[in-house]
Amino acid sequence: MSLRTALRAGTSDCHADVDQIFGRFDLGREADYRAFLSAHTRAVPAVEIALEKAGIERLIPDWAERRRRDLLLDDLAAMNVPLPPALDVPPMQDDAALLGAVYVLEGSKLGGAMLAKAVGEGLPSAYLSPFGPKGGMKAFMDMLDVSGADEARAVEAARAVFVLFRKAAEMELEMAAS
C-alpha cells in the first residue's frame, strides 16, 4: 500500500469528524468566521513551526511556499481578532511523522478552497484561497508514494494533527455558546 493510501485510509474517520465539527461554523456570518479562523490559529501556526523546527525543508524544499500561517494571521488581523493561545503539538520525531502532519495541512488547503466560496462578502479570505506552488499537491502526493516512510508512524502523526484541529474547533464552539 502506498503511504498516500495508508494515510487516507488511516485517517478517514478523523477527517470526517473534523469536517463535521468545522461544518458547524457558518462562514457567511462574521462571528462564525472569526471563530473558524481562531480555531485554525490555535493549530496551524503551531504545527507549521513544529515542522520547521524538525527540519521539514529537508523533505519538502518548497515548504516556505506552502505554509499558510502568515495568511491566516493577516486575515485575523484584518478582522481585529486577537490571537488565541496555540495548542500543544505532539512531538514530530521522524520523517514519517513530518509527512503525516504535512498530509493534514496540505489536505486542508483543498478543503479551504471549497470553503472560500462560503465566506461572507467583504471578509478577508487569503488563508482559504488556493495557495502554494503550482502542482504542489500532486508533487506532495507523489513524494509520499516514494518516501519509504513508516506508514504507521505517518498515520499516527496525521491523526494527532486532526485531533488538534478538532480540539481547536471544540474550544471555539464552546466559547461561542457561553
Side-chain angles (χ1 to χ4, degrees), residues 3-4 6-8 10-11 14-15 18 40 43-57 59-60 63 66-68 88-110 127 137 140-141 143-144 147 149-165:
L3 183 54
R4 172 194 334 205
L7 282 162
R8 187 178 307 122
T11 63
C14 293
H15 191 175
V18 166
H40 279 251
V44 172
V47 172
E48 287 185 353
I49 290 166
L51 286 164
E52 289 164 12
K53 286 181 179 176
I56 192 61
E57 289 163 336
L59 299 174
I60 304 176
W63 172 253
R66 293 173 180 272
R67 67 178 185 217
R68 296 183 297 158
D88 291 332
V89 177
M92 296 185 206
Q93 300 174 2
D94 57 27
D95 290 354
L98 296 175
L99 293 173
V102 173
Y103 172 82
V104 177
L105 295 180
E106 287 292 304
S108 76
K109 287 181 190 177
L110 294 178
Y127 170 67
M137 180 56 101
F140 175 69
M141 291 299 175
M143 192 262 297
L144 285 179
S147 71
D150 180 81
E151 291 175 6
R153 286 283 305 128
V155 168
E156 178 185 343
R159 291 181 67 84
V161 173
F162 274 117
V163 166
L164 280 181
F165 273 94

Side-chain angles (χ1 to χ4, degrees), residues 47-87:
V47 172
E48 287 185 353
I49 290 166
L51 286 164
E52 289 164 12
K53 286 181 179 176
I56 192 61
E57 289 163 336
R58 224 178 3 87
L59 299 174
I60 304 176
D62 63 358
W63 172 253
E65 296 176 62
R66 293 173 180 272
R67 67 178 185 217
R68 296 183 297 158
R69 71 178 173 266
D70 293 336
L71 297 171
L72 176 56
L73 298 176
D74 289 348
D75 283 352
L76 274 181
M79 296 179 69
N80 296 313
V81 177
L83 291 179
L87 296 174

